Amino acid sequence: MKHIIQSIKKSNLNNKKHQTAILKWFDQHGRKDLPWQKNKTPYRVWVSEIMLQQTQVSTVINYFLRFMERFPTVYLLSKATEDEVLHLWTGLGYYSRARNLLRTAKIIVNDFQGEFPPKLSELEKLPGIGPSTAGAILAIAFGQKATILDGNVKRVLTRLHCIKEWPGDKKILTKLWDIAKQLTPTDRIEDYTQAMMDLGATVCTRGKPNCNLCPLINSCLARKEGIEHKLPKSKPRKALPVRQAAFLLLKKDNSVLLEKRPPMGIWGGLWCLPEISDYPDDSEVKKFITKKFQFEIKDIKFLNIFRHTFSHFHLDILPIVGNVAKTKSKIMEDGQQIWYNPQEPATIGLPAPVKLLVENAL
DNA sequence: GAAGCGTGGGA
DNA sequence: TTCCCAAGCTT
């Protein structure tokens, strides 16, 4: 019994030292001028946290500013169309985040009187908000004690405790959550939360960590063993499969034909060029176009194949350009096809390579 | 519980 | 060039 009490006291003391060191470092070196740190509201914190999932700060900043300009409140967002939200998300990737953002905005307005619930279990029920994002919102927006475990914190803690296994493994993940919770302070929770992420992003970096600038250098076990640069162990990965597809750029005036993709799956809800799997030859292209659209195509040009890489496969894209005769260019009236003019862009979401092709081809 | 889900940048 | 993965969540 005595030993247990002593061990708890010792652990509390160590936690205190850790928290003090982190907060002192934050006061001197932490990031305090990011857009979502100004005019801080639960809405702004939520949007930023969703955008920042699997996405670096430098990428997010402009998207966040544009988004806030268009949707300054959760109420305005809740009235948006999915196309409009996806439009602002174009190029950011992981588009289910945008679809879930809109779903959650509607829930907040309809079921919560427009206010985010300051409760972990309630936040986690909302689409797109998992354990770490819920913790971040609670800590940063509401100043309540809560724990996050994002990529930054994982890296810091993996090194601090010299964890040599891959942190994605379920047992290790649970262990990391336990450590993160144990270290979480009650006081200055917002600064502490931000500090742990900043430390991972700016000092305890992936490749060459700047240990000489780290407030945890004396307690870091990986550093003690001299293997900090080797941790965390990287995910066991297979070579990505390669798929092939032809994208049709069917041009009329200053527009190309786009089709809306199904709501789920890759590029869900975005507008894409008509696609032919594998690489067709000249006659196959003409047959496809005639059968599907009843278009009359004057000439067909094959552009260079280029590679677009997703998280789980490569797509080698063969762009095929054709001019559509004006007299025969009727499209379906079901709202799933449009003529898209990049000079006067419709407010819809486009996959990055589609946007690239469309803007270069016209 | 493993796989699906984007994109861009750094090494 | 190729690999890795970044403020993870959903199914």
Side-chain angles (χ1 to χ4, degrees):
Chain A
M1 190 58 176
K2 209 173 185 179
H3 287 85
I4 294 173
I5 291 171
Q6 279 177 345
S7 142
I8 290 173
K9 277 186 182 169
K10 187 180 173 190
S11 145
N12 285 341
L13 187 64
N14 286 338
N15 291 348
K16 197 75 192 168
K17 278 176 69 178
H18 166 86
Q19 293 154 4
T20 304
I22 290 287
L23 287 167
K24 183 184 171 192
W25 177 85
F26 178 77
D27 288 335
Q28 295 175 22
H29 305 291
R31 293 179 288 190
K32 302 166 193 86
D33 295 310
L34 296 168
W36 42 91
Q37 294 176 313
K38 300 169 186 168
N39 183 22
K40 203 186 281 179
T41 65
Y43 172 68
R44 288 167 62 84
V45 170
W46 165 61
V47 172
S48 72
E49 287 300 329
I50 301 299
M51 286 188 171
L52 286 160
Q53 287 170 2
Q54 303 294 97
T55 311
Q56 296 192 339
V57 168
S58 57
T59 303
V60 166
I61 288 175
N62 285 327
Y63 283 91
F64 180 80
L65 293 173
R66 275 200 298 276
F67 199 93
M68 283 303 146
E69 203 168 313
R70 176 61 190 85
F71 300 120
T73 68
V74 69
Y75 180 79
L76 289 169
L77 176 57
S78 74
K79 301 300 176 196
T81 64
E82 189 176 284
D83 277 330
E84 203 171 4
V85 180
L86 288 170
H87 178 66
L88 291 172
W89 216 268
T90 288
L92 196 53
Y94 285 135
Y95 298 95
S96 67
R97 294 183 296 174
R99 302 193 298 271
N100 285 332
L101 200 74
L102 180 56
R103 289 176 59 201
T104 288
K106 289 177 189 292
I107 293 170
I108 292 298
V109 167
N110 293 332
D111 301 348
F112 292 90
Q113 294 78 48
E115 304 287 341
F116 282 82
K119 194 159 183 291
L120 200 65
S121 58
E122 293 292 333
L123 287 170
E124 278 191 64
K125 286 180 198 159
L126 296 166
I129 300 180
S132 190
T133 301
I137 294 172
L138 211 50
I140 296 172
F142 291 104
Q144 288 193 22
K145 181 171 181 178
T147 304
I148 63 164
L149 189 63
D150 66 350
N152 290 311
V153 179
K154 273 183 200 166
R155 189 167 51 253
V156 171
L157 297 183
T158 299
R159 286 172 174 162
L160 189 63
H161 284 252
C162 198
I163 293 170
K164 291 166 185 166
E165 299 88 349
W166 173 54
D169 181 87
K170 199 192 165 188
K171 268 181 66 181
I172 305 302
L173 201 55
T174 305
K175 182 175 174 181
L176 285 169
W177 269 108
D178 287 344
I179 295 169
K181 285 175 185 168
Q182 201 213 344
L183 292 174
T184 303
T186 308
D187 298 335
R188 294 189 63 189
I189 182 66
E190 305 151 69
D191 290 345
Y192 175 83
T193 304
Q194 186 64 46
M196 288 296 281
M197 291 190 284
D198 289 354
L199 189 64
T202 65
V203 172
C204 195
T205 53
R206 182 159 67 96
K208 291 180 182 172
N210 301 306
C211 297
N212 49 331
L213 301 178
C214 183
L216 307 180
I217 185 166
N218 291 322
S219 49
C220 181
L221 296 182
R223 171 77 176 179
K224 204 158 284 179
E225 285 193 30
I227 58 170
E228 68 279 1
H229 59 288
K230 290 190 166 183
L231 299 182
K233 186 177 177 189
S234 64
K235 174 189 178 119
R237 228 176 262 270
K238 296 174 186 172
L240 299 183
V242 180
R243 301 185 199 169
Q244 300 177 329
F247 281 9
L248 298 180
L249 286 139
L250 299 175
K251 293 161 54 171
K252 188 191 72 164
D253 301 326
N254 292 316
S255 301
V256 294
L257 183 72
L258 296 183
E259 298 178 317
K260 194 173 174 65
R261 294 182 62 87
M264 301 295 281
I266 197 89
W267 291 340
L270 276 68
W271 292 73
C272 203
L273 295 159
E275 191 177 326
I276 308 178
S277 60
D278 300 316
Y279 299 148
D281 62 24
D282 200 282
S283 73
E284 285 170 329
V285 173
K286 282 185 172 154
K287 197 191 296 177
F288 178 89
I289 293 171
T290 306
K291 187 175 177 189
K292 178 160 183 180
F293 302 109
Q294 290 88 47
F295 288 168
E296 192 177 293
I297 301 293
K298 281 182 257 174
D299 54 319
I300 289 173
K301 196 163 71 182
F302 290 73
L303 305 184
N304 290 331
I305 293 170
F306 67 96
R307 173 164 291 190
H308 182 78
T309 299
F310 296 89
S311 51
H312 49 306
F313 64 93
H314 298 290
L315 184 63
D316 286 344
I317 298 170
L318 166 64
I320 303 175
V321 183
N323 288 297
V324 178
K326 283 190 188 181
T327 50
K328 295 196 175 180
S329 61
K330 196 105 175 107
I331 57 173
M332 313 235 287
E333 299 277 351
D334 59 0
Q336 303 300 295
Q337 298 182 341
I338 58 162
W339 289 106
Y340 179 84
N341 180 353
Q343 260 74 55
E344 303 167 8
T347 50
I348 57 174
L350 303 188
V354 172
K355 186 176 159 86
L356 182 78
L357 281 171
V358 168
E359 288 176 357
N360 286 330
L362 292 173

